[in-house]
């Protein structure tokens, strides 16, 4: 699919989100969370291009969320807290990335998982600071000096999430079509060829890893601003599993895949929990199984196939 077609579909999707949020007010919360998780999965998409899967990216999600929670006590301006959370997530991603990019495949994924669980344990044990499993309630937050509360606050956070999704999606689309994207694909196919060409696979993967951490940081900050409550569960392995689930569900063939997967995941979970309160996890599992068996390319793969057939 051409860049122009993807751009038009992205803009159409943005308009659809706004229409749904206006027509069904309670969907504003769900769609904002979906956009946030789509951002985090967008970062994982970069790693998937290199054939690597992180089972621990919830670490950066939680770090950013707690950054917003603690930062809001001193500086309640959301437009300052968002970049601060993303920068700190990126710096931690750089620090961890220097270590994990030395490994590949299952070792890469499990190292990320282990580090995420270490952070989860820290958040659980340092009760005096983090309040443990009870988490932290965000203090009042403002945007350009105006309180981020009520219906206006919901629209503001949704607008910020949508703007970040469009901006990051565009940047990732350009990156994947650039020499960096080709180098990431080279890591997946035959890494030694990059070495022969004088390109360092570790540096290429590190750049993608840091970028993915930054996007997860934006996602965590948005989740914190939306839920107004952060807990250690954000860094638990199940949260990282959700992100991988969404990546499979949406498909890795386009930057739109993560957002399609996130929207489908959140809507399925909401309706499954409402209909089958004690078995909604089973419904999600069946959905994932169906995607793997009947649509291995994910939702985006089905859309692309139908467009080609037409």
């Amino acid at each position: 699919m051409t860049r122009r077609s993807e751009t038009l579909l992205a803009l159409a999707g943005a308009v659809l989100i706004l229409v749904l949020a206006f027509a069904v007010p309670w969907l504003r919360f769900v769609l904002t969370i979906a956009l946030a998780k789509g951002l985090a999965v967008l970062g994982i998409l970069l790693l998937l291009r290199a054939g690597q899967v992180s089972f621990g990216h919830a670490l950066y999600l939680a770090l950013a969320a707690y950054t917003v929670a603690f930062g809001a006590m001193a500086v309640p301006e959301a437009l300052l807290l968002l970049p601060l959370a993303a920068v700190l997530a990126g710096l931690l991603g750089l620090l961890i990335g220097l270590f994990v990019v030395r490994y590949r495949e299952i070792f890469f994924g499990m190292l990320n998982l282990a580090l995420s669980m270490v952070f989860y344990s820290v958040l659980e044990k340092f009760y005096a600071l983090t309040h443990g499993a009870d988490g932290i309630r965000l203090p009042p937050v403002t945007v350009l000096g105006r309180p981020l509360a009520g219906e206006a606050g919901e629209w503001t956070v949704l607008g910020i999430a949508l703007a970040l999704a469009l901006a990051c999606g565009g940047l990732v689309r350009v990156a994947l079509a650039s020499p960096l994207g080709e180098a990431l694909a080279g890591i997946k196919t035959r890494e030694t060829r990059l070495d022969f060409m004088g390109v360092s696979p570790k540096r290429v993967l590190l750049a993608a890893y840091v970028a993915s951490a930054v996007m997860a940081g934006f996602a965590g900050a948005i989740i914190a601003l939306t839920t107004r409550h952060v807990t250690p569960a954000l860094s638990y392995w199940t949260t990282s599993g959700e992100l991988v689930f969404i990546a499979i569900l949406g498909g890795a063939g386009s930057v739109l895949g993560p957002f399609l997967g996130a929207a489908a995941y959140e809507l399925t979970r909401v309706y499954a929990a409402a209909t089958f309160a004690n078995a909604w996890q089973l419904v999600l599992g069946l959905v994932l199984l169906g995607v793997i068996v009947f649509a291995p390319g994910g939702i985006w793969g089905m859309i692309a196939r139908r467009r080609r057939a037409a």
Side-chain angles (χ1 to χ4, degrees), residues 59-135:
L59 164 62
Y60 306 110
L61 208 72
L63 174 67
Y66 273 90
T67 297
V68 171
F70 287 119
M73 299 176 186
V75 183
E77 177 55 50
L79 296 183
L80 294 177
L81 294 171
L82 275 166
L84 175 63
V87 168
L88 288 180
L91 289 175
L92 183 61
L94 175 61
L95 183 62
I96 292 176
L98 290 170
F99 172 67
V100 298
V101 297
R102 300 171 181 269
Y103 301 90
R104 297 291 181 269
E105 298 175 351
I106 189 63
F107 303 103
F108 179 89
M110 296 309 292
L111 278 171
N112 279 285
L113 174 59
L115 292 168
S116 178
M117 290 307 296
V118 168
F119 188 64
Y120 169 78
S121 298
V122 170
L123 294 175
E124 279 273 2
K125 301 302 180 183
F126 283 79
Y127 186 87
L129 183 63
T130 66
H131 297 171
D134 294 333

Side-chain angles (χ1 to χ4, degrees), residues 202-245:
K202 292 179 182 177
R203 290 183 180 178
V204 170
L205 186 56
L206 179 61
Y209 190 86
V210 173
S212 70
V214 169
M215 283 184 273
F218 277 128
I222 291 170
I223 289 174
L225 292 173
T226 304
T227 62
R228 308 303 299 273
H229 185 239
V230 297
T231 69
L234 281 172
S235 64
Y236 198 54
W237 69 267
T238 52
T239 303
S240 294
E242 280 186 9
L243 300 181
V244 176
F245 183 111

